[in-house]
Amino acid sequence: MNDSNRMLARLRALVIQRGRCSALVLAAMLCGLCDVGVAQQAAPSTSSAGGSVTLFQNVRVFDGKNATLSGPSHVLVRGNKIETVSAQPLPLDRRADTRLIEGGGRTLMPGLIDAHWHAMLIRPTPAQAFGDVGYNNLQAGDEATDTLMRGFTTVRDVGGPVFGLKSAIDEGIVKGPRIYPSGAMITVTSGHGDFRQLTDLPRTIGGMLTRMEQIGGAIVADSPDEVRVRVREQLMQGASQVKLTAGGGVSSPFSPIDVTTFTVPELRAAVEAAGNWGTYVVAHAFTPDAIRGAIDAGVKCIEHGFLMDDATAQLIAEKGIWLSMQPLPEDLRLGFPVGSVQRAKADEVWPGLARSYELAKKYKIKTAWGTDVLFSRALAQQQGAILASLARWYTPAEALVMATSTNAELLTLSGKRNPYPGKLGGVEYGAGALADLLLVDGDPIADIKLIEDPARNFVVIVKDGKVFKNTL
Ligand SMILES: [Zn+2]
């Protein structure tokens, strides 16, 4: 570290303590104290090494990996990191402003991670989603707070104009989870994510963008060159990974489930552009053809995969590809009106759900968990219950491991585009372990239904070392 860097670090620590990060860093930038690169990255981490201290006494730890709870333990959080996990009582740090939480034998576990979330598309109706950006962001901010209060301290957002919301959360303007943003879903003409009507055709290449594209919800690209432009635009805005839709989807009007949308060269262009930035492409795909094309092109994570066959599951496992699945609730299918195109497609996809989970287990595929809730606040309130519904295929411990350390491992694929460097998904220390923690009134490994009622059962919620809820 040279002198000006050291000075800058001290300045940043100071402004972060005072909670006025962006304004003072901007002032510093104008004075020539910091370069533009630093200013761009000033938002994420919100605590300094010497920040506030929280001591959990007498808790039993679910560490995100092991199927058994620890014996009575004591966990010290300093700043935004877990500093110590100890079987011995820890002394109170009299110098620091220590918050003491007497756990009373309750369970301390990592914050939950949802690997397939659309923070901007929960509260609005489909029509509103393309409407007023200010209104949608305010709604999304309120939903983000609810998300955090459900114990979800991190989400991987796989499509939607989420960059502003993420910044507002990171700057402390709004309470919400850490967001790993993809930005606009990239699709082909008529693909999943192309919400245009037939009256919008034909598109003039290079012509006016649609409303959906202008606000960054989803964007059409029909050649490798167009794909590269759109991928790079998402990366420029801070995408930690890029989302393409490689096959048909349920909710979009003109993408039959059976079709493969992008060509392999188009997908490859996306993988190369993302790879140049040290990150990866995630592809929405249901069918064996769509999945295989994506894998051929170098995609590292398949979303859904519900219509995969045995051989495709085997391929996913052999290649070490991630499969991000969602135990989609029946209510989501029933939410599509009878007789609609969407309902017919949902009826096609849902039966594959159970079989794909069986295949994922059979071939020990690296499986992530998410919800994919869209356009329903009521379903979002079931986020914990959707996780608990994994009990159809997994033990409670396996389900909780998936939603903590396994999902956290998936997030590391973002490499240097990871907006929150450090370790997520565990209760450990010594490896830059970020302090995202839940204190559960009971043992969720013995009774996973506890996570269905976070308002009652999550008595303490900590994100980035800050206590957002404490009812003790
Ligand atoms: Zn989705």
Side-chain angles (χ1 to χ4, degrees):
M1 231 192 220
N2 62 31
D3 276 356
S4 71
N5 278 352
R6 212 172 283 130
M7 196 163 145
L8 176 64
R10 227 179 289 139
L11 176 69
R12 288 177 68 192
L14 183 76
V15 296
I16 286 160
Q17 277 168 13
R18 292 182 181 180
R20 282 184 285 161
C21 178
S22 50
L24 280 181
V25 169
L26 181 66
M29 196 177 81
L30 292 171
C31 300
L33 265 175
C34 79
D35 58 86
V36 173
V38 171
Q40 282 173 342
Q41 292 174 14
S45 191
T46 47
S47 307
S48 57
S52 66
V53 174
T54 300
L55 175 59
F56 289 93
Q57 284 183 329
N58 188 24
V59 294
R60 302 189 67 196
V61 173
F62 165 61
D63 65 2
K65 289 187 181 131
N66 291 298
T68 49
L69 299 183
S70 74
S73 300
H74 309 272
V75 177
L76 184 73
V77 172
R78 187 185 300 274
N80 69 339
K81 303 267 169 37
I82 300 170
E83 187 173 274
T84 312
V85 180
S86 169
Q88 306 305 322
L90 295 167
L92 261 180
D93 183 348
R94 299 278 173 206
R95 288 163 305 164
D97 176 18
T98 302
R99 181 196 299 260
L100 186 66
I101 295 177
E102 172 49 50
R106 295 179 182 86
T107 307
L108 190 71
M109 63 173 283
L112 297 166
I113 301 171
D114 190 326
H116 192 122
W117 191 245
H118 299 277
M120 298 302 295
L121 302 175
I122 306 289
R123 293 277 185 96
T125 63
Q128 284 174 329
F130 305 136
D132 186 83
V133 171
Y135 176 76
N136 287 342
N137 270 293
L138 289 167
Q139 266 197 326
D142 196 49
E143 180 56 43
T145 304
D146 283 0
T147 306
L148 180 61
M149 288 302 122
R150 289 191 291 265
F152 286 85
T153 48
T154 302
V155 299
R156 191 178 62 144
D157 195 285
V158 282
V162 77
F163 297 114
L165 175 69
K166 177 189 178 296
S167 297
I169 291 170
D170 291 343
E171 290 166 18
I173 297 168
V174 172
K175 296 183 179 78
R178 302 175 190 274
I179 297 179
Y180 282 73
S182 307
M185 273 197 294
I186 302 171
T187 183
V188 299
T189 290
S190 194
H192 181 50
D194 181 358
F195 292 99
R196 289 176 300 169
Q197 297 304 310
L198 294 177
T199 46
D200 297 325
L201 303 184
R203 168 166 83 111
T204 307
I205 307 295
M208 265 257 296
L209 295 175
T210 60
R211 174 73 184 159
M212 161 194 83
E213 293 172 311
Q214 285 169 3
I215 64 172
I219 196 154
V220 173
D222 282 317
S223 70
D225 287 344
E226 277 198 306
V227 167
R228 266 186 284 270
V229 171
R230 299 316 179 196
V231 167
R232 287 170 183 157
E233 285 173 350
Q234 307 320 307
L235 293 166
M236 184 175 177
Q237 294 173 86
S240 50
Q241 67 285 322
V242 177
K243 161 88 173 283
L244 276 78
T245 58
V250 171
S251 58
S252 34
F254 298 106
S255 71
I257 293 297
D258 62 286
V259 303
T260 301
T261 50
F262 284 107
T263 63
V264 171
E266 286 165 345
L267 288 170
R268 221 170 255 150
V271 168
E272 188 183 16
N276 290 343
W277 278 57
T279 185
Y280 69 105
V281 170
V282 29
H284 160 108
F286 288 129
T287 64
D289 282 350
I291 295 169
R292 282 169 182 276
I295 293 175
D296 272 0
V299 165
K300 287 198 180 143
C301 181
I302 302 292
E303 294 302 314
H304 317 306
F306 299 137
L307 299 177
M308 67 182 175
D309 54 18
D310 198 279
T312 311
Q314 203 173 348
L315 178 77
I316 293 171
E318 277 169 14
K319 298 266 183 184
I321 305 297
W322 280 86
L323 183 60
S324 164
M325 291 207 287
Q326 308 79 31
L328 301 173
E330 189 61 4
D331 283 352
L332 189 58
R333 183 179 71 87
L334 298 175
F336 296 110
V338 177
S340 67
V341 178
Q342 285 85 352
R343 177 59 176 271
K345 291 198 283 185
D347 292 347
E348 209 177 321
V349 167
W350 255 249
L353 207 73
R355 184 175 147 74
S356 50
Y357 269 110
E358 295 297 346
L359 286 171
K361 283 175 63 178
K362 177 178 172 187
Y363 289 108
K364 298 187 169 56
I365 290 173
K366 289 193 282 192
T367 308
W369 168 85
T371 50
D372 202 10
V373 172
L374 291 166
F375 309 122
S376 171
R377 183 182 190 179
L379 263 183
Q381 287 165 345
Q382 300 297 308
Q383 199 172 8
I386 296 171
L387 172 55
S389 79
L390 280 182
R392 289 166 70 190
W393 303 286
Y394 299 95
T395 65
E398 285 170 334
L400 292 173
V401 167
M402 206 183 279
T404 53
S405 66
T406 306
N407 275 357
E409 191 189 335
L410 169 61
L411 295 174
T412 65
L413 293 187
S414 291
K416 289 197 170 158
R417 300 286 82 74
N418 181 350
Y420 310 102
K423 211 161 179 312
L424 291 171
V427 182
E428 54 189 302
Y429 61 97
L434 294 167
D436 290 4
L437 298 164
L438 310 175
L439 188 63
V440 187
D441 194 8
D443 175 2
I445 291 175
D447 180 11
I448 195 162
K449 290 208 170 285
L450 289 172
I451 64 175
E452 293 182 3
D453 191 354
R456 176 197 292 251
N457 299 318
F458 293 171
V459 291
V460 177
I461 297 175
V462 174
K463 188 198 85 173
D464 208 39
K466 293 194 186 71
V467 179
F468 285 90
K469 175 182 177 183
N470 181 4
T471 60
L472 290 180

